[in-house]
Amino acid sequence: MLIQPKKMVPPDGGWGWIAVIGVAIVNFCTRSIEPSFGLLFGDLLKELGVGTTGAALIMSTLDALINFSGLLVGPLIRAFSYRKVSLVGACLCGLGLILTFPARSMAHILVTYSIINGLGVGLTASATFVALNHYFVKRRGQAVGFSLAGTAFGMLLMPQAVRLLLEAYSFRGAILVLGGVALHSLIGSALLQPAEWHLVPERKNLEEGNRQKEMETIKEVEDEDAESPESAQTQKLIGVNTIPDFSKCLGDYRRKEGGFPRNFSTMSFITRGKTVSDAVNYSNLSNMDFTGSSLQLHLESTEKPGPKLQISEGVRLRRNMSYPAVELNSHLKIMQDFQHEPLRFEPRKKETLWTKIVNFMDLDLLKDPIYLNLVFGLSIFYVAEQNFKMVTPFFFDSIGYNKTNTALFLSVQAITDILARLILPPICDRVNVRKRTLFMVGIFLVGISRSVLAEQTDYTKILLWLVVCGFVRGAALINFTITISEYSTLEKLPAAFGLHMVGKGLFVVALGPLLGYIRDATQSYPICLHSQTFLIMLCCLAWSIEYIICWFKTRTKDASSDTT
């Protein structure tokens, strides 16, 4: 009886749901303040005389540190664990916000809020995402969607909380309270226990007959054809008869009467009655060994040329793979007459420092054009998303709405965002469509709805389109990070996600201030919002081109295979 060790797999539940709660707490405490940046820092930036370009520079630096921390995530998680990395990131988040309260210059805000806080947010975001992917496989979409609901729930409450804190304590007191809130992410990080503690045995439905067993060969009666002495000796050694000749496909087969069908799981087929030329020594596979279990070598006699020899007169070697310890004949010594070249092993090339860095950080991913296009699209959308969150409060202020109305607008958008993150993930997991395709459809709708919102000034219409914007945004973001885990293996996931974050950081640094400059140069927030939509459509265009190229390649391969 064979005892096969059970394969341990992620639980897809169990403590994984506790980990989801922990990630939601981390997201709530560290990420929910970002959409309220304009509301929180608006008065301070006006005092410092910093316009939209300055605000864009602060947010771009924050995003750059969040994303460039991806270079550290892979090595840190390998050296320590995702829980420890998340704990360190939570401490940096709280420290960065607390140290911002005495800020009286833009440089101070950049160092404390953008750099220290941004590094902490980046470490926690990456570590929590990797943790969820270790806990879930089939329900990964639901887990990520529910965990991101913590961010959306924070976006619902944080605008109102920031408004109340500003009224009660002004900016400096409010930022201290928010720093204390950020430190509560330590609780969520502590819940991210190693997934190895909670692995479960893999469940399989084993059916009878799955395993192939060696079957005994039934001895045939009335075997008219005589075997060679070597074959007879072989049969005596292993106690079985030979396999009937299957050379019918070659036109030389005579069916025996009264015989049983033979099993050919342990012996190779023997070609009988065939003549060969003795001009050249050769070895080949006899006929077709469908089982792959044995190899028969035909070696011609080294005697003087004469009449053509029958195969039965030649020297035959048969090696039975099912019985490797049995010596089947006495002619194995003939193989020693052949000259064998000694095996040559190429010396192992010494790895350079750059090669070690590439292997350690899995930089070979940068050779994959599909991965690069994936990162390009995600980075372009991320720039547009971050700029929208920063500009929206200023946009509402420019068309005559006060802080109370702005806080209400942001909360309404967050409500529908939460609904989308709670309702859609179970549906998306059951739909047989790639997460990347669902994400592309979602961001396409996001771009259109935001461009429509940019042209609204009426209170009711703004609320209506914010409801639409919030829902399609939630529908898109539930698949944002899953597009990486869907494409990458679990072993390369930390590196793939880290490089993806670095790509986002590069695009934020390059394009973030550009969008702020467009707003300042045109003195128009609607144009700035339309520029964000343009970036989103670039993502859709790049991915659509890739889909078309892959479709043509698949079609060409199918056509060539059909022709063959």
Side-chain angles (χ1 to χ4, degrees):
M1 180 178 180
L2 298 176
I3 300 177
Q4 186 176 6
K6 294 183 178 180
K7 181 181 179 181
M8 306 301 289
V9 296
D12 258 327
W15 188 265
W17 295 119
I18 305 298
V20 169
I21 295 175
V23 175
I25 293 174
V26 173
N27 290 335
F28 175 82
C29 297
T30 59
R31 303 303 301 264
S32 57
I33 191 178
E34 294 176 16
S36 302
F37 171 81
L39 193 62
L40 178 62
F41 285 86
D43 294 337
L44 178 63
L45 295 178
K46 288 181 180 178
E47 292 178 7
L48 299 176
V50 178
T52 307
T53 304
L57 179 60
I58 294 173
M59 288 299 294
S60 298
T61 306
L62 172 69
D63 292 333
L65 264 295
I66 290 175
N67 293 295
F68 283 137
S69 63
L71 283 175
L72 307 175
V73 170
L76 287 177
I77 291 179
R78 287 182 182 178
F80 303 100
S81 66
Y82 46 76
R83 179 162 66 167
K84 293 178 182 179
V85 173
S86 182
L87 288 170
V88 173
C91 292
L92 291 176
C93 287
L95 182 64
L97 291 175
I98 292 173
L99 293 178
T100 306
F101 88 96
R104 297 188 180 277
S105 65
M106 185 174 171
H108 190 145
I109 298 174
L110 286 172
V111 172
T112 56
Y113 179 76
S114 298
I115 297 178
I116 299 178
N117 176 60
L119 182 61
V121 172
L123 293 178
T124 55
S126 302
T128 53
F129 176 71
V130 173
L132 289 182
N133 280 270
H134 278 79
Y135 272 102
F136 293 90
V137 178
K138 296 180 181 178
R139 298 180 180 177
R140 186 174 293 170
Q142 298 179 42
V144 174
F146 293 159
S147 66
L148 292 177
T151 305
F153 189 67
M155 293 178 181
L156 171 63
L157 297 181
M158 198 56 67
Q160 304 296 335
V162 169
R163 179 180 63 83
L164 295 174
L165 289 173
L166 289 174
E167 293 176 356
Y169 305 109
S170 73
F171 167 78
R172 308 195 186 282
I175 199 71
L176 281 175
V177 174
L178 294 174
V181 172
L183 289 176
H184 283 73
S185 59
L186 290 169
I187 300 174
S189 300
L191 298 177
L192 304 178
Q193 296 181 358
E196 291 78 9
W197 296 0
H198 304 280
L199 296 179
V200 297
E202 185 179 18
R203 295 181 180 179
K204 287 185 177 180
N205 295 326
L206 295 178
E207 299 179 359
E208 294 184 2
N210 285 347
R211 298 176 181 174
Q212 297 181 353
K213 299 181 179 180
E214 292 288 340
M215 296 183 293
E216 297 181 359
T217 304
I218 302 175
K219 185 176 181 180
E220 181 184 357
V221 295
E222 299 179 6
D223 190 1
E224 296 178 355
D225 293 342
E227 292 292 326
S228 65
E230 292 83 6
S231 298
Q233 183 180 1
T234 298
Q235 296 167 21
K236 293 179 181 179
L237 284 173
I238 63 175
V240 294
N241 202 347
T242 55
I243 302 305
D245 187 86
F246 280 82
S247 58
K248 179 180 179 181
C249 57
L250 300 176
D252 188 15
Y253 174 73
R254 292 186 297 275
R255 184 176 180 85
K256 298 176 178 61
E257 298 179 359
F260 292 95
R262 300 277 184 92
N263 169 31
F264 45 91
S265 63
T266 60
M267 303 292 288
S268 62
F269 307 140
I270 302 173
T271 305
R272 299 170 185 165
K274 291 293 180 179
T275 59
V276 293
S277 174
D278 57 347
V280 182
N281 290 333
Y282 74 99
S283 66
N284 66 349
L285 287 174
S286 62
N287 285 346
M288 298 175 62
D289 188 355
F290 296 100
T291 64
S293 61
S294 59
L295 177 67
Q296 178 176 330
L297 297 176
H298 298 280
L299 302 178
E300 290 220 348
S301 174
T302 58
E303 297 178 358
K304 296 181 180 180
K308 294 184 179 180
L309 299 176
Q310 297 290 332
I311 290 298
S312 59
E313 299 175 4
V315 178
R316 293 195 295 183
L317 299 177
R318 180 181 296 143
R319 180 186 176 189
N320 193 316
M321 301 302 180
S322 300
Y323 303 93
V326 179
E327 184 177 348
L328 299 182
N329 55 51
S330 60
H331 297 282
L332 294 176
K333 61 181 182 179
I334 298 179
M335 299 301 296
Q336 299 177 359
D337 297 337
F338 293 92
Q339 296 181 355
H340 300 282
E341 295 183 1
L343 296 177
R344 298 178 180 178
F345 298 95
E346 295 183 0
R348 187 176 180 180
K349 296 181 180 179
K350 186 177 180 181
E351 292 185 348
T352 62
L353 177 61
W354 174 248
T355 305
K356 293 180 180 179
I357 294 175
V358 169
N359 295 333
F360 184 68
M361 302 186 68
D362 290 323
L363 296 181
D364 55 322
L365 286 168
L366 299 179
K367 297 180 180 179
D368 187 349
I370 296 180
Y371 175 76
L372 292 178
N373 191 35
L374 178 63
V375 171
F376 170 78
L378 294 177
S379 302
I380 287 290
F381 170 76
Y382 184 80
V383 173
E385 175 64 23
Q386 293 300 101
N387 194 263
F388 177 80
K389 290 190 293 186
M390 183 198 70
V391 169
T392 304
F394 296 104
F395 167 65
F396 294 140
D397 181 68
S398 67
I399 56 179
Y401 292 99
N402 56 28
K403 293 181 179 180
T404 303
N405 294 328
T406 300
L408 177 63
F409 291 156
L410 296 178
S411 298
V412 167
Q413 180 181 228
I415 290 174
T416 55
D417 191 329
I418 294 174
L419 291 176
R421 298 182 192 226
L422 295 178
I423 296 173
L424 296 180
I427 300 175
C428 293
D429 283 346
R430 287 169 173 79
V431 175
N432 191 21
V433 180
R434 293 170 60 186
K435 296 294 189 296
R436 184 177 175 185
T437 304
L438 295 175
F439 175 75
M440 185 171 66
V441 173
I443 63 174
F444 181 80
L445 298 176
V446 166
I448 293 176
S449 60
R450 287 180 178 176
S451 289
V452 175
L453 175 66
E455 300 299 328
Q456 307 303 318
T457 56
D458 182 69
Y459 185 86
T460 304
K461 292 182 179 180
I462 288 177
L463 284 176
L464 175 63
W465 282 105
L466 282 174
V467 168
V468 176
C469 288
F471 190 85
V472 295
R473 177 181 183 272
L477 291 183
I478 59 175
N479 296 312
F480 181 77
T481 53
I482 301 181
T483 56
I484 295 292
S485 57
E486 181 184 51
Y487 182 76
S488 174
T489 60
L490 192 61
E491 291 76 13
K492 287 186 174 289
L493 182 59
F497 191 75
L499 293 175
H500 144 73
M501 292 183 65
V502 173
K504 292 192 301 182
L506 292 174
F507 276 85
V508 165
V509 171
L511 300 179
L514 177 61
L515 293 176
Y517 175 77
I518 291 174
R519 212 295 314 171
D520 290 342
T522 60
Q523 295 296 314
S524 171
Y525 284 101
I527 292 178
C528 183
L529 294 176
H530 292 316
S531 301
Q532 300 165 13
T533 301
F534 174 75
L535 294 181
I536 293 175
M537 295 307 170
L538 278 182
C539 171
C540 296
L541 178 62
W543 288 3
S544 298
I545 293 174
E546 177 195 324
Y547 279 14
I548 293 173
I549 293 175
C550 292
W551 180 77
F552 272 111
K553 287 184 178 180
T554 305
R555 185 179 179 184
T556 304
K557 289 181 179 179
D558 292 342
S560 61
S561 62
D562 292 342
T563 304
T564 304

